[in-house]
Amino acid sequence: MSTVHQPDLKDRPARLTVGVVGAGRVGPVLAASLQLAGHRPVAVSGVSDASRRRAETMLPDVPLVSPAEVLARADLVLLTVPDDALPGLVAGLAGTGAVRPGQLLVHTSGRYGAKVLDPALRAGALPLALHPAMTFTGTPVDVQRLAGCSFGVTAPEELRLAAEALVIEMGGEPEWISEQDRPLYHAALALGANHLVTLVAQSMELLRQAGVAAPDRMLGPLLGAALDNALRSGDAALTGPVARGDAGTVAAHVTELRKHSPQTVAGYLAMARATADRALAHGLLKPELAEDLLGVLADAGHPAGGPNGDSGPDGYGGPNGDRGPNGDSGTDGTTGSEGNDR
């Protein structure tokens, strides 16, 4: 057994002073995590009452100041604001002389890489893009969840090791994302995480209408197993009436949804078509069953018929009765960075 003294974290000398611009759900959590690694939060800015309360909870005794003052006090500054606000914030800070040469400037946007920080780079800052692939609550539990969390990392080559080191200090796993791939990377995360919340919330509402007293308890084991199977096996984990080609069941679903929750019909049909595409491509949906199923989906998309109610030559229905050459709908699916100061 080792007898080497292991100093308590609070006894370790701070290596960097840390500031947070945008005390939303992400910034204070990352700063608290860096504090556990021996760095020292010194300043935080926030606009709303909720962000100020969050900062006081996550970073007690750290003063609330203006963004410019945060940069004046900190060696490492976390810019944790919504995606759309980030370019203007960076330009404004650089334009007013708030950025100091040699200062580490870190943003947590999934959409942007390091180039959005170019105005600060020209002022001498060291730009890093560190996006935690996790949904945040803005509470202390998030610090624990960072253990093993993947971070999308983008930075100049000479700063790559520094960026990855910071991620590791926060308990995360660095995943290098090229500048040009950031929008696709973020769209993929939004497609999986943000849309999952919508689907689960809709499912819970429908179960309540069906008389289920505790829809969360009913869905928990089912969704947990489905997620685990999907992560392990991908499309091979597909189950349910669409993958089986049960056209009659799908038609019954659409009828009930139109009656009880018409706002969910479009989403159900879009996901059913996407599921059918994948099930066909992977040999799970038999071609002889697919025709009836796709016919039901096409008809369900245009219950009133009319000039736009015809399915295209491939049998798929869409908003105007047709779809693109690959059967893909044209929806975007992207969102802003989650959990920032809104």
Side-chain angles (χ1 to χ4, degrees):
M1 180 175 178
S2 172
T3 58
V4 177
H5 172 63
Q6 298 293 331
D8 188 83
L9 284 174
K10 68 177 183 294
D11 297 328
R12 292 169 55 181
R15 288 165 289 159
L16 290 171
T17 53
V18 178
V20 179
V21 176
R25 297 179 183 180
V26 177
V29 170
L30 297 187
S33 181
L34 288 168
Q35 185 174 35
L36 290 176
H39 302 288
R40 183 164 60 94
V42 294
V44 59
S45 72
V47 177
S48 67
D49 290 340
S51 67
R52 290 173 176 270
R53 288 193 298 270
R54 191 178 297 115
E56 291 169 357
T57 299
M58 296 297 302
L59 301 171
D61 302 323
V62 175
L64 283 158
V65 298
S66 69
E69 185 62 23
V70 172
L71 269 70
R73 299 186 184 193
D75 302 317
L76 185 159
V77 179
L78 301 171
L79 303 179
T80 51
V81 298
D83 290 359
D84 289 350
L86 182 60
L89 173 65
V90 175
L93 292 173
T96 57
V99 178
R100 294 185 285 109
Q103 190 169 45
L104 282 165
L105 217 55
V106 178
H107 79 70
T108 59
S109 166
R111 171 184 172 187
Y112 293 108
K115 283 191 176 299
V116 72
L117 298 173
D118 276 355
L121 174 64
R122 290 190 289 271
L126 306 178
L128 308 176
L130 308 180
H131 175 251
M134 188 181 80
T135 184
F136 285 78
T137 64
T139 63
V141 70
D142 293 337
V143 177
Q144 302 171 20
R145 288 177 176 171
L146 284 177
C149 169
S150 292
F151 278 66
V153 178
T154 306
E157 186 63 31
E158 62 271 20
L159 295 177
R160 178 167 178 160
L161 290 178
E164 292 178 341
L166 284 172
V167 170
I168 291 170
E169 285 190 318
M170 289 185 281
E173 296 287 341
E175 186 72 38
W176 192 256
I177 308 295
S178 67
E179 185 77 31
Q180 63 268 26
D181 287 336
R182 291 291 289 207
L184 178 61
Y185 152 81
H186 192 231
L189 294 179
L191 186 66
N194 299 160
H195 297 176
L196 176 64
V197 173
T198 300
L199 291 172
V200 172
Q202 289 180 339
S203 180
M204 291 177 66
E205 289 173 356
L206 293 169
L207 286 172
R208 289 191 188 96
Q209 290 187 48
V212 176
D216 54 341
R217 189 168 66 236
M218 176 175 283
L219 284 174
L222 173 64
L223 297 184
L227 177 60
D228 184 63
N229 291 340
L231 292 175
R232 291 173 182 271
S233 304
D235 289 300
L238 281 172
T239 62
V242 172
R244 291 192 298 267
D246 291 340
T249 299
V250 171
H253 287 177
V254 175
T255 298
E256 288 302 302
L257 291 177
R258 288 197 190 284
K259 186 187 306 181
H260 297 284
S261 184
Q263 70 274 15
T264 65
V265 172
Y268 179 94
L269 293 175
M271 291 304 299
R273 291 178 187 124
T275 300
D277 288 346
R278 302 190 75 89
L280 267 172
H282 289 81
L284 301 173
L285 175 58
K286 296 178 181 179
E288 61 268 26
L289 298 176
E291 185 175 356
D292 286 345
L293 174 67
L294 295 174
V296 165
L297 294 175
D299 292 342
H302 312 285
N308 294 326
D310 299 325
S311 63
D314 56 1
Y316 294 89
N320 295 313
D322 54 27
R323 302 183 75 193
N326 297 319
D328 297 322
S329 63
T331 52
D332 187 327
T334 59
T335 64
S337 86
E338 63 201 19
N340 285 336
D341 197 8
R342 298 178 183 274

